[in-house]
Amino acid sequence: DTEVTQTPKHLVMGMTNKKSLKCEQHMGHRAMYWYKQKAKKPPELMFVYSYEKLSINESVPSRFSPECPNSSLLNLHLHALQPEDSALYLCASSLRDTGQGPGGPLHFGNGTRLTVT
Amino acid sequence: GQQLNQSPQSMFIQEGEDVSMNCTSSSIFNTWLWYKQDPGEGPVLLIALYKAGELTSNGRLTAQFGITRKDSFLNISASIPSDVGIYFCAGQNYGGSQGNLIFGKGTKLSVKP
């Protein structure tokens, strides 16, 4: 079982809906990540939070809005998505961000399979 | 930016055979990681490598951090059906905006019983 928990496992939403993806870890990790993964492709980085502050935004459209309420939780708020946003959204965590040195390997959750209709 | 070349793209092998896959880069990495992903699940960390030349085993899996820091390989010995999945290598560097994973494109492994 993964130590990074993501909910929901599956989500179907219309283009006018607002929904949120949730991620939780209790390993004491201080860096948390959102990745997007399309079928048969590697994960693509979207956002990095380091000590609850947004440190990297990989030019992600504003219809994706991340939030880190505390060191254990990471949310991804979704609004006005497009069908091409359908993908597996993965959350990950590591001991630290590697911005200033070894941060440890990333541990991934099992993802939320998002379908936008 | 940095890119990883992972090969082979896919493999079809008989149960019991050994498997080898590798990743190469045009530039160096501080850390090499190997992940396995099953359908409908997230990538699971198999092996992490931190020093050039390091050789690390995890059960039937063995991985090495190339001496030039630009490559890594993963070997699986005596494959079994549950080895089926997609294997990703990932390189990681420290400092600034490079501080996150660069993934290879994956090797899809199929095992015939």
Side-chain angles (χ1 to χ4, degrees), chain A residues 33 37 42 56 98-99 105-106 109-110, chain B residues 35 37 42-43 50 94-96 99-100 104:
Chain A
Y33 309 78
Q37 186 178 27
I56 293 179
T98 49
L106 271 65
N110 278 330
Chain B
Y35 289 88
Q37 187 171 24
Y50 299 104
Y94 314 145
N100 297 295

Side-chain angles (χ1 to χ4, degrees), chain A residues 20-114:
Chain A
S20 297
L21 309 184
K22 296 186 182 304
C23 176
E24 190 168 359
Q25 58 86 15
H26 294 288
M27 295 180 281
H29 289 177
R30 302 310 299 271
M32 295 185 77
Y33 309 78
W34 281 114
Y35 280 82
K36 174 182 177 181
Q37 186 178 27
K38 294 287 236 182
K40 300 182 182 178
K41 299 284 187 184
E44 296 175 9
L45 182 66
M46 299 174 74
F47 302 104
V48 180
Y49 272 84
S50 179
Y51 290 87
E52 295 92 71
K53 287 188 168 57
L54 184 65
S55 61
I56 293 179
N57 175 343
E58 290 286 343
S59 303
V60 179
S62 59
R63 56 185 185 270
F64 295 91
S65 174
E67 178 197 19
C68 190
N70 60 54
S71 60
S72 300
L73 295 175
L74 186 67
N75 298 323
L76 185 63
H77 302 298
L78 314 172
H79 174 54
L81 295 194
Q82 304 295 312
E84 59 265 28
D85 296 322
S86 299
L88 181 68
Y89 287 84
L90 293 163
C91 173
S93 70
S94 64
L95 198 58
R96 286 182 301 278
D97 180 16
T98 49
Q100 295 180 9
L106 271 65
H107 296 264
F108 287 86
N110 278 330
T112 293
R113 173 71 61 190
L114 174 67

Side-chain angles (χ1 to χ4, degrees), chain B residues 17-96:
Chain B
E17 288 183 356
D18 296 344
V19 172
S20 186
M21 59 191 79
N22 69 84
C23 274
T24 59
S25 171
S26 57
S27 50
I28 63 174
F29 284 104
N30 296 120
T31 300
W32 282 94
L33 304 167
W34 285 93
Y35 289 88
K36 181 190 179 213
Q37 187 171 24
D38 292 331
E41 298 186 5
V44 174
L45 180 68
L46 299 174
I47 292 179
L49 302 159
Y50 299 104
K51 288 171 23 175
E54 180 181 354
L55 183 71
T56 297
S57 293
N58 177 5
R60 293 179 295 106
L61 277 58
T62 301
Q64 183 158 33
F65 192 144
I67 198 73
T68 64
R69 295 168 63 191
K70 293 183 181 180
D71 62 303
S72 177
F73 71 75
L74 174 71
N75 288 343
I76 306 173
S77 63
S79 58
I80 59 178
S82 61
D83 290 333
V84 165
I86 300 179
Y87 292 79
F88 290 104
C89 64
Q92 191 176 47
N93 276 327
Y94 314 145

